[in-house]
Amino acid sequence: MQDLNKIDWQKTDGLIPAIAQDSLTNEVLMLGYMNKEALELTLKTGFVHYFSRSKQRIWKKGESSNHTQKINDILLDCDNDTILLKVTQEGVACHTGRKTCFFTNLSNNEIVEDIKIDTSLSYGVIDTLYHTILERKNEDTSKSYTSKLLNGEQNSMLKKIVEEAGEFCFAIKDDNKDEAIYEAADVTYHILVALASKNINPDRIKQELARRFGISGIEEKNSRKI
């Protein structure tokens, strides 16, 4: 029986770094974080569970993509505050579709591993778009509209949400369904840009919507702090 009290949870504020390594090749695949519950689930199920700091919840690796990590061994470091996960990786480790999350050269920003699979169907268009927006943060603002929004004046970025929302409302008012769909897509994109600027994962929105199921609109509104 594993003694999870060996881990210095207090020093790490309840979250420990968890490095995933391919059991056969020893290639480092990714770095995630675990709280005690995530580690317990990992040990119980035999598949890696992490605690997502951006989603603020426990998630099973591969829950959307089926790119799971089966545990072969778990090693604790000498300071008792980091663990190494020896895993069998199903599919790829990175949400970008690459085998490993470590593929960008820090010195010149070049991609050292450009072989990847299409993960858009696995993760869904919203999650894929959000992560694409995050990747655009450090791109040349003269070449990337998304980068220009994220690195420009905040008011300009937020103004686009207001403008696109207004156009969406007029399309609804005019009973123009095609235009309404087009403008709704624009609104969604600009909202995701704003969320990305604050590193708010859209999964948090899904969680909030899920929380409201079973609660009437009036009850939900009354529950808010004034």
Side-chain angles (χ1 to χ4, degrees):
M1 186 70 179
Q2 295 86 356
D3 183 8
L4 302 191
N5 292 323
K6 289 181 180 179
I7 298 172
D8 194 341
W9 298 102
Q10 186 174 1
K11 182 168 69 175
T12 59
D13 294 324
L15 284 182
I16 58 169
I19 303 165
Q21 183 181 41
D22 190 293
S23 291
L24 294 178
T25 66
N26 287 328
E27 185 174 19
V28 176
L29 300 174
M30 62 174 286
L31 168 68
Y33 290 85
M34 287 183 172
N35 60 7
K36 193 171 185 179
E37 184 181 358
L39 182 52
E40 288 173 341
L41 280 169
T42 297
L43 293 168
K44 180 180 179 180
T45 64
F47 289 89
V48 180
H49 289 67
Y50 295 100
F51 181 87
S52 171
R53 295 174 300 168
S54 60
K55 296 178 181 178
Q56 283 294 296
R57 68 172 177 87
I58 292 173
W59 61 287
K60 177 186 176 183
K61 175 63 178 172
E63 65 182 20
S64 299
S65 64
N66 291 320
H67 295 167
T68 56
Q69 292 175 343
K70 184 178 180 180
I71 282 292
N72 294 312
D73 205 359
I74 301 179
L75 304 175
L76 182 63
D77 82 329
C78 57
D79 292 323
N80 296 328
D81 60 4
T82 303
I83 59 175
L84 179 67
L85 309 169
K86 305 284 283 187
V87 304
T88 299
Q89 176 70 55
E90 182 70 28
V92 296
C94 187
H95 71 273
T96 64
R98 294 178 175 88
K99 184 179 179 181
T100 170
C101 291
F102 300 95
F103 55 81
T104 304
N105 188 306
L106 184 62
S107 299
N108 54 25
N109 210 36
E110 288 185 357
I111 304 299
V112 296
E113 182 198 341
D114 207 27
I115 300 174
K116 60 180 181 177
I117 64 173
D118 183 4
T119 59
S120 59
L121 294 179
S122 300
Y123 290 102
V125 66
I126 294 296
D127 287 338
T128 301
L129 177 55
Y130 176 75
H131 283 101
T132 301
I133 290 169
L134 288 178
E135 292 171 9
R136 296 288 189 270
K137 276 187 177 183
N138 298 319
E139 291 194 359
D140 189 340
T141 57
S142 66
K143 297 179 180 178
S144 169
Y145 176 66
T146 300
S147 179
K148 184 177 180 180
L149 288 172
L150 289 169
N151 293 290
E153 292 291 333
Q154 186 181 67
N155 283 349
S156 298
M157 176 184 67
L158 299 178
K159 184 180 178 182
K160 291 299 298 181
I161 299 176
V162 177
E163 290 177 357
E164 301 298 347
E167 292 175 6
F168 168 74
C169 290
F170 285 124
I172 292 293
K173 183 177 181 296
D174 295 339
D175 197 27
N176 189 332
K177 292 183 175 62
D178 289 340
E179 189 68 15
I181 293 169
Y182 184 88
E183 297 301 342
D186 277 350
V187 174
T188 302
Y189 161 75
H190 285 285
I191 287 176
L192 287 174
V193 170
L195 290 173
S197 74
K198 298 298 182 182
N199 293 312
I200 301 174
N201 193 293
D203 188 85
R204 301 282 298 276
I205 313 304
K206 297 175 187 177
Q207 292 178 53
E208 175 60 20
L209 290 172
R211 183 189 69 81
R212 297 184 187 186
F213 274 100
I215 304 176
S216 73
I218 293 175
E219 287 176 330
E220 193 283 322
K221 190 170 183 179
N222 289 339
S223 69
R224 299 180 190 177
K225 293 180 180 180
I226 299 176

